[in-house]
Amino acid sequence: MSVSDHSYLSPINFSKVNKTALDFTNHLEQNFEKIADVLLEYESFEVVQDEYNRTMDLFRSLEENKDYFALRVGEVTSFLPRNQPLYAFSCFVILPSLMSTNVHFRIPHSTRSFFPQLLQVLEINKFFPNIIVSKKERLEFLEERTALLMDPETKESVPVTDVVIFTGTPNHAEKLRHIFDLKTLFISNGSGHNPIVVAENSNMDAAVAASIKLQLYNQGQDCAAPNSVLVHASVYKSFLSILRNEISKVKIGPYRDRLSRVGPISEAEDLKRIEELLVDNRVWIDQSTKGVIRTADTIVEPTIICKPLKDGGNFKEVFAPIFFVQEYETDDDLSIYFEDKQYAKNAMYVTLYGDSVYIQNLVNGNLENIKLHTKETFLHNTHLHASGVERGTQPYGGYGLGASSISLNGKIIPRPTCPQRDIYEYLVKPLIEFNEVNFWKEKHSRATNHLTKNISKLMGLKLNSCAEHKEVLSGFNYLDLQSVKNENKRYIEITSRQVFNLLEYPNAEIISRLNPTDQEHVNILLNFLKNNKEINLDEFTTFLYAITKKAGLSEKENTAQQLHFFQNIYQLLFGKEVGPRLPQFLIDADREKIYELLNVHVL
């Protein structure tokens, strides 16, 4: 579908959207048992009920987000998690479909056995015909969704995907973020630590109930699961005694038994990772639980690991029904966990039972070493899976870069995410404020550039206001127009293979290999760029090809010298021996970034 075929930024009739959402909830209500029957292949009835209730609340409460449904954006690409299939699908696919031309997604591998049946029961084609389920393999899907559309007349490009909604590991998010165009809004939901702190004056029963609810929810395969339960020494024995007793009551078995709270984990391969974790912590495994793995059933039995906080906090995502209960001596000892450098990247929520001066200072930003929490990421005497706490109409996540973030135009802001809010704030609202809607509809590709400049300014302000959380991505995407010319098409589809990405850091390996002559040639180019702010393309092209040319050498020898020089430049800029046409690229590119990467004396 070409750009001209899209209904970009057409007004949204919220009454119609809300009616569709309410009609869908009526359908869900009438078909709960069919939905449960499908989901019980994959998760416990406790989780089925929770997912269902959250989904119903989301669609029945859209009025709370009414202001976000102003203009319809283009295409959305969603990457779903393997947990909470109904609720995640509702938040990250169905809801965005109500404010976009269409949403594309692939069914996660671990849910392929039942997800198509779930889609049939939900009657997605009837209620949301603009949801497109891709049957393509992962690489082919990425190739399609990261493509660009180009206008050969204006030489301007527009990404096929306006918005990416990703849920998964931070490492995977980082890789995908670099594949998609910088102009694509990238909403990422990663993994968090979510520690529970049980202070000396806490309600033990409530603290234990919260720990079990969170750690056993979907076998601990949930981003809300705590990596660690930090318990004050004065109540440690009491907490542990109650926890042991409650775990002994937990029913383990197949999900078809609606009383089972613990059943098979979603990926059998995870048993290897879980076993390694148990072996690494074997000296701290509590005697009431033995760290049992039922390999044939892919079931991990609830296990308690009693590792004193003084021996180091747990910062690994467990993704299993394993409780890390860590005793701490004094309130100030909580710094061992929260001020460890491993905590900051995945800081999400902190849950406190009882009172703690340290935690209050942490949340209020009074600690010099760490400012990663606000009141919205602090839960006091309640927990994330308590009724009414985490809701699809509100932001979810944390301020750790690996927990959740929003990126656009080469910048990333770690913050809790809410797709409907983020689409509105970063794509729709700037256009409304700058009165550019009509111009966008007529000159979409030109307005895209205008939009990203305005958004860049807006995001810059936000980054400056929370400087302690910011991380600026220095990547720069460049499209070589010469490689994609096609006079027969109004718009040309371009794949990610034709987009070149500047390295984030200088290529130390290549720099170390350059001989003195190579360094001299690079420095000639670097000095020319620094001394000439305005550059004529023809003159620059002549200069560039003359840098290595020497009298006395044959044409063939000079050509070989030029090729060697160009390959060095490509390696320094992109880490490859090939790239776009250098003269035009060096004129267009971010000059400061070019200076950094061509500085061959950085070692």
Side-chain angles (χ1 to χ4, degrees):
M1 182 179 291
S2 70
V3 171
S4 59
D5 295 327
H6 286 304
S7 300
Y8 280 102
L9 296 168
S10 59
I12 295 176
N13 184 330
F14 179 74
S15 296
K16 184 177 179 180
V17 164
N18 200 36
K19 183 180 185 304
T20 299
L22 294 176
D23 288 345
F24 184 59
T25 60
N26 292 334
H27 176 73
L28 295 181
E29 194 169 34
Q30 294 167 10
N31 290 275
F32 171 75
E33 282 302 323
K34 290 182 180 179
I35 294 170
D37 188 60
V38 173
L39 293 178
L40 283 172
E41 178 183 328
Y42 190 71
E43 62 190 20
S44 69
F45 187 65
E46 176 186 27
V47 176
V48 171
Q49 287 181 306
D50 184 76
E51 277 206 79
Y52 171 79
N53 291 334
R54 292 178 189 278
T55 301
M56 296 293 280
D57 174 63
L58 169 65
F59 291 118
R60 285 176 173 169
S61 305
L62 281 191
E63 190 75 32
E64 297 175 16
N65 295 155
K66 179 179 180 179
D67 291 344
Y68 301 149
F69 293 85
L71 298 172
R72 191 174 302 278
V73 297
E75 299 189 1
V76 176
T77 300
S78 289
F79 297 87
L80 293 176
R82 62 185 183 183
N83 61 315
Q84 294 184 306
L86 173 63
Y87 184 53
F89 179 68
S90 298
C91 291
F92 305 140
V93 175
I94 295 180
L95 195 147
S97 76
L98 298 174
M99 54 196 314
S100 64
T101 57
N102 51 55
V103 180
H104 298 255
F105 82 102
R106 286 177 70 244
I107 296 173
H109 181 268
S110 60
T111 65
R112 287 184 179 179
S113 63
F114 70 89
F115 212 102
Q117 186 180 354
L118 177 63
L119 294 177
Q120 288 182 351
V121 173
L122 298 180
E123 295 187 14
I124 293 303
N125 290 336
K126 170 186 172 182
F127 288 99
F128 313 101
N130 61 334
I131 291 178
I132 301 170
V133 187
S134 176
K135 295 182 180 179
K136 295 182 178 180
E137 291 302 315
R138 180 178 177 276
L139 292 179
E140 191 179 3
F141 177 71
L142 285 176
E143 195 75 25
E144 173 190 84
R145 303 314 308 150
T146 58
L148 303 176
L149 298 176
M150 188 192 73
D151 184 342
E153 294 180 6
T154 64
K155 306 302 184 188
E156 296 184 56
S157 62
V158 182
V160 167
T161 299
D162 281 4
V163 183
V164 171
I165 302 174
F166 171 82
T167 304
T169 66
N171 289 339
H172 191 189
E174 190 64 21
K175 292 176 182 178
L176 283 178
R177 188 182 285 115
H178 286 296
I179 293 174
F180 281 91
D181 190 271
L182 292 178
K183 295 189 289 291
T184 296
L185 176 65
F186 196 100
I187 303 169
S188 174
N189 304 284
S191 58
H193 295 311
N194 303 302
I196 298 174
V197 177
V198 184
E200 54 187 328
N201 65 336
S202 60
N203 181 318
M204 288 294 101
D205 291 332
V208 169
S211 301
I212 289 180
K213 180 77 172 180
L214 291 168
Q215 198 64 63
L216 297 189
Y217 188 96
N218 197 34
Q219 288 42 254
Q221 301 172 117
D222 185 79
C223 61
N227 282 17
S228 181
V229 182
L230 308 169
V231 184
H232 192 278
S234 64
V235 295
Y236 177 74
K237 290 183 178 179
S238 176
F239 178 89
L240 203 53
S241 176
I242 300 172
L243 179 63
R244 289 167 178 159
N245 183 56
E246 291 302 313
I247 285 180
S248 69
K249 301 175 185 177
V250 172
K251 187 164 186 177
I252 304 171
Y255 297 130
R256 291 295 171 187
D257 183 343
R258 297 194 176 194
L259 296 179
S260 294
R261 294 189 72 180
V262 172
I265 60 172
S266 58
E267 292 281 358
E269 284 295 310
D270 269 359
L271 294 181
K272 299 175 184 178
R273 174 188 59 79
I274 295 168
E275 182 183 25
E276 183 178 353
L277 183 145
L278 290 172
V279 171
D280 290 344
N281 293 277
R282 63 191 181 282
V283 297
W284 293 301
I285 293 178
D286 189 70
Q287 288 303 303
S288 68
T289 59
K290 302 295 184 180
V292 174
I293 297 178
R294 304 180 187 179
T295 306
D297 299 323
T298 63
I299 289 177
V300 179
E301 293 188 3
T303 302
I304 303 172
I305 294 177
C306 301
K307 181 181 179 181
L309 183 57
K310 64 182 180 181
D311 291 326
N314 176 54
F315 299 101
K316 289 185 177 180
E317 189 173 22
V318 178
F319 228 57
I322 298 174
F323 299 77
F324 270 85
V325 180
Q326 303 203 259
E327 179 184 13
Y328 68 94
E329 296 293 334
T330 68
D331 195 52
D332 289 340
D333 287 342
L334 290 172
S335 63
I336 298 173
Y337 192 86
F338 291 98
E339 296 179 38
D340 189 297
K341 63 181 180 180
Q342 299 177 77
Y343 179 75
K345 183 177 180 181
N346 295 89
M348 197 167 172
Y349 290 91
V350 57
T351 298
L352 172 64
Y353 280 86
D355 298 304
S356 165
V357 173
Y358 180 89
I359 296 298
Q360 292 292 350
N361 286 333
L362 174 74
V363 174
N364 293 331
N366 295 331
L367 298 180
E368 294 183 3
N369 297 333
I370 180 170
K371 295 182 180 179
L372 290 166
H373 288 286
T374 63
K375 291 182 179 179
E376 65 182 334
T377 61
F378 171 57
L379 301 170
H380 196 193
N381 294 327
T382 188
H383 60 85
L384 273 171
H385 281 310
S387 178
V389 174
E390 189 273 303
R391 301 177 63 234
T393 57
Q394 302 300 319
Y396 178 79
Y399 291 97
L401 182 63
S404 53
S405 64
I406 298 162
S407 54
L408 182 67
N409 201 39
K411 295 181 176 64
I412 180 170
I413 301 177
R415 65 178 296 194
T417 68
C418 179
Q420 58 270 36
R421 177 206 65 181
D422 301 334
I423 291 172
Y424 171 76
E425 286 193 355
Y426 293 104
L427 294 186
V428 175
K429 186 179 179 182
L431 280 182
I432 295 175
E433 291 179 345
F434 286 96
N435 297 314
E436 295 286 350
V437 176
N438 292 330
F439 181 66
W440 173 281
K441 292 169 70 175
E442 296 173 4
K443 300 287 185 179
H444 180 249
S445 58
R446 186 184 303 170
T448 299
N449 293 333
H450 183 76
L451 169 65
T452 54
K453 290 178 182 178
N454 290 329
I455 290 177
S456 177
K457 294 177 182 178
L458 293 173
M459 291 188 75
L461 294 174
K462 290 182 178 292
L463 282 167
N464 291 333
S465 67
C466 55
E468 66 272 14
H469 304 316
K470 76 176 181 179
E471 175 173 325
V472 179
L473 298 182
S474 54
F476 177 89
N477 288 352
Y478 183 82
L479 172 66
D480 186 2
L481 298 178
Q482 299 300 321
S483 68
V484 294
K485 280 187 175 179
N486 187 330
E487 302 300 332
N488 298 321
K489 292 185 179 181
R490 171 62 177 160
Y491 289 97
I492 301 171
E493 187 166 305
I494 303 161
T495 69
S496 57
R497 284 195 294 262
Q498 292 158 305
V499 177
F500 298 92
N501 303 296
L502 283 174
L503 296 176
E504 187 171 357
Y505 303 105
N507 194 334
E509 181 181 356
I510 296 300
I511 293 174
S512 67
R513 295 180 188 174
L514 297 179
N515 60 42
T517 301
D518 292 334
Q519 291 182 3
E520 179 186 356
H521 291 159
V522 174
N523 284 327
I524 291 172
L525 171 59
L526 180 60
N527 290 331
F528 180 90
L529 293 172
K530 287 183 175 180
N531 295 327
N532 295 272
K533 302 302 181 184
E534 299 295 329
I535 300 177
N536 176 275
L537 178 60
D538 292 336
E539 293 176 358
F540 183 45
T541 300
T542 300
F543 170 81
L544 199 60
Y545 278 85
I547 289 177
T548 61
K549 193 171 184 179
K550 288 186 178 181
L553 293 181
S554 66
E555 182 178 350
K556 183 177 181 180
E557 289 172 326
N558 272 317
T559 299
Q561 291 272 39
Q562 290 169 349
L563 176 62
H564 177 69
F565 170 61
F566 278 27
Q567 287 176 338
N568 282 338
I569 298 300
Y570 287 137
Q571 287 281 16
L572 291 169
L573 297 178
F574 309 112
K576 301 178 181 179
E577 289 191 350
V578 296
R581 297 192 178 208
L582 272 179
Q584 186 65 61
F585 171 77
L586 291 171
I587 291 174
D588 292 342
D590 179 351
R591 197 68 65 85
E592 292 299 323
K593 189 61 185 175
I594 296 298
Y595 296 162
E596 177 188 350
L597 295 178
L598 293 185
N599 180 8
V600 294
H601 297 300
V602 295
L603 299 181

